[in-house]
Amino acid sequence: MSTKIAISVKVNGLVYDWEVEPRLLLSDFLRHDLGLTGTHVGCEHGVCGACTILFDDEPARSCLMFAVMAHGHEIITVEGLGTIDHMHPLQQAFQEAHGLQCGFCTPGFLTTLVAFLKENPNPTEEDIREAVSGNLCRCTGYQNIIEAVKLAAGKMQS
Ligand code: FES
Ligand code: FES
């Protein structure tokens, strides 16, 4: 029998007071307990970036963290970036520049790049390539993702 631990965590602006097993991964907590399946799980060992979330505004691999580590912290998942009616400018740019195909990697790219553009609102192409170097995409060949980030940077400055 395992003992559950009480945690309180803010996710996309809502506070969740929850009880979790100590071994529960943060990615599984978000997906299975909270139903936020926009956070995807690919490699489950920190390589692909599909599970990236914003943890206190910093990109983090949720497959490498336990849910208990989120106690007292704030998380934003892809669901918290925008809605279909009110997309984040980066989401709009991904749509307009065809920065996704199957979409499996997209939540991880978006969360990574939202933080990146906040820190570097006027990036060079080299900066963007560096920023996405930790996220794997099997479909796009990356070029349209780069174009989407350039487009988003322009949108966010205007
Ligand atoms: S699922 Fe977390 S980095 Fe791949
Ligand atoms: S769009 Fe399919 S993995 Fe990136």
Side-chain angles (χ1 to χ4, degrees):
M1 200 176 88
S2 69
T3 312
K4 290 200 169 182
I5 295 177
I7 62 169
S8 180
V9 53
K10 196 187 245 192
V11 183
N12 300 333
L14 294 176
V15 175
Y16 293 88
D17 294 312
W18 220 260
E19 290 200 340
V20 295
E21 288 190 12
R23 63 177 185 158
L24 182 69
L25 292 176
L26 182 55
S27 49
D28 288 339
F29 169 70
L30 294 170
R31 290 175 52 82
H32 302 308
D33 287 31
L34 303 192
L36 296 169
T37 53
T39 297
H40 290 163
V41 172
C43 66
E44 282 191 286
H45 62 272
V47 173
C48 74
C51 68
T52 305
I53 52 154
L54 293 170
F55 190 92
D56 293 339
D57 285 333
E58 293 291 330
R61 308 282 209 231
S62 59
C63 75
L64 294 184
M65 299 177 74
F66 292 114
V68 290
M69 295 163 76
H71 176 62
H73 292 275
E74 182 162 1
I75 288 171
I76 297 174
T77 67
V78 69
E79 289 92 343
L81 296 183
T83 64
I84 289 180
D85 292 332
H86 298 283
M87 284 194 278
H88 188 283
L90 184 62
Q91 290 173 311
Q92 281 176 0
F94 263 64
Q95 184 185 39
E96 288 167 26
H98 305 289
L100 67 148
Q101 288 180 24
C102 79
F104 190 84
C105 67
T106 311
F109 273 93
L110 291 173
T111 45
T112 301
L113 290 165
V114 162
F116 166 68
L117 285 173
K118 207 169 178 184
E119 206 166 280
N120 187 350
N122 193 16
T124 64
E125 178 155 336
E126 202 180 336
D127 294 337
I128 299 169
R129 288 184 180 276
E130 168 85 27
V132 300
S133 62
N135 291 70
L136 301 183
C137 175
R138 294 170 298 183
C139 305
T140 62
Y142 300 94
Q143 193 54 45
N144 285 359
I145 293 175
I146 311 287
E147 296 307 321
V149 182
K150 289 183 197 165
L151 185 61
K155 281 178 187 288
M156 290 165 77
Q157 281 184 36
S158 60

